[in-house]
Amino acid sequence: MGTLKRFNIKQLADTHQVTHVIETGFGRGASSRYSIDCGMQVLSCEIYTPLYDAAPDWPALQLFNHDSLTFLGQQAVREVINSTRTLIFLDAHFPGADFQFEAYDSDNYDEETRLPLIGEMALLQDNAANALIIIDDTRVYLRNAYRALSTDLLGEPPADREQAFLLALGQFQKTHKIQFLQQDTGYAILWPRRWGEFALPKNILAGDLTQNFILQSEVPGTTCMSINRRLLDARFSLR
């Protein structure tokens, strides 16, 4: 399960005037809360009723008790996509499973409800030219992502699911630049071409083990003092 906390959307809002986040899986509200804290208005949905009933009442949140396809067809959602710069986080799959309410292979929902991403992309392909789209959990759709992320979630994606996902991505080529990130459970980023060069800053999160070490000079504090003290110590290299 990925999260919008992976991305610095406050900086995105400041530099690209993004005002709204549309999210297709509220869960317990972590990504919505983060978006609101970054100054965004949020529209989200939660199909799993116990999670929907437990959701907090935040003024900047509009929450719908719908499946994601019904949610994306709502007039309020379509108006936001058509009239503002929007971040769309496609995070809907396996209702209730990420929070141990249901099994990932539960037969309580049909296949389109459990894995609605291809339908979501079809709904968006003709009216999302001014929206940044972040797709979570590419391990569920791409075999390379599944292997790289070493997950046993439902096993390796079948070839037909991967093919359908790649074909759906291809429908966005004229309006978006596409990049893949391997952090967390894998992301596909669809960056609107009309926004110019790709500029979605990532955050370093607790537990990240593969980030490059960066030494930044002229930062006051103990680190800066320690480095200067050792540089001035002629015997330091001998110890």
Side-chain angles (χ1 to χ4, degrees), residues 200-221:
L200 179 60
K202 292 184 294 181
N203 290 324
I204 298 175
L205 303 181
D208 287 352
L209 302 177
T210 59
Q211 303 298 326
N212 294 328
F213 175 75
I214 300 174
L215 177 63
Q216 183 174 349
S217 63
E218 301 180 5
V219 177

Side-chain angles (χ1 to χ4, degrees), residues 56-93:
D57 183 15
W58 294 327
L61 170 70
Q62 295 184 60
L63 183 61
F64 298 76
N65 188 200
H66 293 323
D67 65 85
S68 59
L69 296 176
T70 302
F71 167 67
L72 290 174
Q74 295 296 300
Q75 182 176 354
V77 175
R78 296 172 67 87
E79 286 178 354
V80 166
I81 295 174
N82 290 330
S83 63
T84 71
R85 285 197 168 192
T86 306
L87 189 165
I88 301 174
F89 188 39
L90 297 182
D91 187 36
H93 46 266

Side-chain angles (χ1 to χ4, degrees), residues 221-231:
T222 303
T223 300
C224 183
M225 293 168 60
S226 301
I227 291 172
N228 286 334
R229 184 167 63 248
R230 282 157 177 75
L231 290 175

Side-chain angles (χ1 to χ4, degrees), residues 86-107:
T86 306
L87 189 165
I88 301 174
F89 188 39
L90 297 182
D91 187 36
H93 46 266
F94 311 123
D98 284 335
F99 303 98
Q100 289 77 56
F101 289 109
E102 297 275 356
Y104 283 102
D105 57 355
S106 170
D107 58 3

